[in-house]
Amino acid sequence: MRPTLLWSLLLLLGVFAAAAAAPPAQLTLETYQEWCNDSAATHDPLSQLPAPQHPKIRLYNAEQVLSWEPVALSNSTRPVVYRVQFKYTDSKWFMADIMSIGVNCTQITATECDFTAASPSAGFPMDFNVTLRLRAELGALHSAWVTMPWFQHYRNVTVGPPENIEVTPGEGSLIIRFSSPFDIADTSTAFFCYYVHYWEKGGIQQVKGPFRSNSISLDNLKPFRAYCLQVQAQLLWNKSNIFRVGHLSNISCYETMADASTELQQVILISVGTFSLLSVLAGACFFLVLKYRGLIKYWFHTPPSIPLQIEEYLKDPTQPILEALDKDSSPKDDVWDSVSIISFPEKEQEDVLQTL
């Protein structure tokens, strides 16, 4: 009884060990080969390379970049190369090469794979569920696969600020134009909306939005005032009702222009100021003329001149100057500086005539 029981237990243990070592029943050929390779590497530790450490995926705007730390080997002069594979939901693994993704990330020496290096529109579809895995290779040796968590670009992306921001000051307003952080192929599935954070220098910050347009006008601002602003984008993904808040743009400040009413006030103020200044100058000139009348009269008085006859005599003393002077001294009509006409009223004139 005891030998039979012992042999039965040994037989059961052998069956369980064979079942544990056997591959799963439902496997594809590719996964079976991978399972065999992994099993062989597990049983032969000398054939394995260290796996790449700290892999990370950078999703910034349209960028999709996988990076990792290099594998260092002290006993080999040959460089270690790396292989990247990807898959979508419920699909097999694909090589990340030019045929499949547009860039080559197979047997590369770099420690980075930029899936959008060919163009911003390249890379994985932004609404697909993507999983990446990575391993190091050196000749016939290779490391274990390092699988990253799946990602969706619209779900995990870091949205930067809007680009190419241009601000045009208007009449009590600021007109803002910009471009989106990155292009979206199908705006029915995802789109951007924008917010403007603005404030008067030294004032309280205000937020205006959301806007779908890439041109925003901030109205009802005070004229001739400096306003500072920042623009922010927000990505909305309709499929999963997910939104990603983007980074704020750099602070920029602008001065508004005058509106129509302010320009009219300026014209009136300038006119009144000019008239007042001219009036003050005219009054000051009149006061100076009255105060310094004698001095001004002296400055503008013509100097005395020698009579013409004496000037001729001085030039030619032989001329009979005395006879000429006697002729000029003949009586002439009296000359008056001013003439006054005195008139009498009619009654006084009649009285004067009667008395005569």
Side-chain angles (χ1 to χ4, degrees), residues 14 62 83 89 109 112 130 189 196 198 223 234 261-262 269 291 342:
R83 184 185 301 270
T89 305
T109 57
E112 179 181 277
V130 182
T189 58
V196 179
Y198 68 99
Q234 188 177 87
S261 60
T262 305
L269 290 176
K291 185 174 182 180
I342 301 176

Side-chain angles (χ1 to χ4, degrees), residues 59-64 116 119-122 124-127 152-164 178-187 189-194 214 233-237 243-247:
L59 302 174
Y60 182 81
N61 287 342
E63 296 179 6
Q64 298 174 348
T116 53
S119 67
S121 60
F124 303 107
M126 295 187 176
D127 56 346
Q152 290 174 314
H153 194 98
Y154 286 146
R155 182 187 298 271
N156 306 107
V157 66
T158 299
V159 180
E163 300 177 348
N164 306 317
F178 49 85
S179 57
S180 59
F182 60 92
D183 295 331
I184 296 177
D186 187 3
T187 55
T189 58
F191 60 89
F192 285 109
C193 59
Y194 304 97
N214 291 54
Q234 188 177 87
L235 175 65
L236 284 85
W237 187 20
F243 64 90
R244 301 287 295 176
V245 179
H247 293 170

Side-chain angles (χ1 to χ4, degrees), residues 81-100:
V81 295
Y82 305 93
R83 184 185 301 270
V84 179
Q85 292 184 345
F86 70 94
K87 73 171 183 176
Y88 301 120
T89 305
D90 298 330
S91 72
K92 65 178 183 178
W93 290 99
F94 299 94
M95 292 293 179
D97 53 20
I98 295 179
M99 295 296 295
S100 60

Side-chain angles (χ1 to χ4, degrees), residues 50-343:
Q53 297 295 314
H54 305 109
K56 57 183 179 180
I57 303 171
R58 171 182 166 84
L59 302 174
Y60 182 81
N61 287 342
E63 296 179 6
Q64 298 174 348
V65 182
L66 172 65
S67 60
W68 57 89
E69 293 184 1
V71 173
L73 298 178
S74 58
N75 57 351
S76 176
T77 58
R78 293 184 299 171
V80 177
V81 295
Y82 305 93
R83 184 185 301 270
V84 179
Q85 292 184 345
F86 70 94
K87 73 171 183 176
Y88 301 120
T89 305
D90 298 330
S91 72
K92 65 178 183 178
W93 290 99
F94 299 94
M95 292 293 179
D97 53 20
I98 295 179
M99 295 296 295
S100 60
I101 198 63
V103 294
N104 181 36
C105 294
T106 300
Q107 293 186 333
I108 58 174
T109 57
T111 58
E112 179 181 277
C113 181
D114 187 354
F115 301 103
T116 53
S119 67
S121 60
F124 303 107
M126 295 187 176
D127 56 346
F128 276 30
N129 187 316
V130 182
T131 304
L132 300 175
R133 69 178 183 177
L134 163 73
R135 79 178 183 184
E137 297 178 355
L138 181 61
L141 304 179
H142 61 81
S143 70
W145 288 104
V146 180
T147 304
M148 275 68 70
W150 64 269
F151 69 89
Q152 290 174 314
H153 194 98
Y154 286 146
R155 182 187 298 271
N156 306 107
V157 66
T158 299
V159 180
E163 300 177 348
N164 306 317
I165 298 176
E166 297 180 357
V167 180
T168 303
E171 296 181 354
S173 64
L174 293 175
I175 302 173
I176 310 167
R177 297 180 179 88
F178 49 85
S179 57
S180 59
F182 60 92
D183 295 331
I184 296 177
D186 187 3
T187 55
S188 63
T189 58
F191 60 89
F192 285 109
C193 59
Y194 304 97
Y195 294 84
V196 179
H197 301 249
Y198 68 99
W199 62 95
E200 185 181 352
K201 274 191 174 180
I204 300 175
Q205 185 178 106
Q206 303 179 59
V207 180
K208 193 172 182 180
F211 302 95
R212 290 288 300 271
S213 173
N214 291 54
S215 178
I216 301 173
S217 178
L218 298 178
D219 301 319
N220 301 323
L221 303 180
K222 298 177 182 178
F224 296 112
R225 300 294 180 89
Y227 284 85
C228 300
L229 58 89
Q230 292 177 287
V231 187
Q232 184 182 39
Q234 188 177 87
L235 175 65
L236 284 85
W237 187 20
N238 295 333
K239 181 178 179 180
S240 301
N241 293 326
I242 292 175
F243 64 90
R244 301 287 295 176
V245 179
H247 293 170
L248 289 167
S249 64
N250 295 330
I251 298 175
S252 55
C253 300
Y254 306 88
E255 185 174 342
T256 57
M257 299 173 61
D259 53 12
S261 60
T262 305
E263 290 180 353
L264 179 60
Q265 293 176 2
Q266 284 184 335
V267 172
I268 295 174
L269 290 176
I270 292 173
S271 302
V272 172
T274 304
F275 179 77
S276 301
L277 180 60
L278 293 176
S279 300
V280 170
L281 291 176
C285 292
F286 181 73
F287 174 76
L288 292 175
V289 169
L290 291 179
K291 185 174 182 180
Y292 300 100
R293 179 173 52 185
L295 183 59
I296 295 174
K297 191 174 182 180
Y298 171 76
W299 284 346
F300 291 97
H301 180 70
T302 57
S305 62
I306 301 174
L308 182 61
Q309 294 84 354
I310 297 176
E311 185 178 358
E312 292 177 355
Y313 174 74
L314 292 175
K315 292 180 180 180
D316 188 6
T318 61
Q319 292 184 3
I321 186 63
L322 297 177
E323 291 79 356
L325 290 176
D326 290 338
K327 291 180 181 180
D328 293 338
S329 61
S330 58
K332 296 181 180 179
D333 295 337
D334 294 335
V335 179
W336 295 275
D337 291 337
S338 62
V339 178
S340 300
I341 300 175
I342 301 176
S343 62

Side-chain angles (χ1 to χ4, degrees), residues 14-24 35 39 43:
V15 170
F16 285 128
W35 178 84
S39 299
H43 290 86

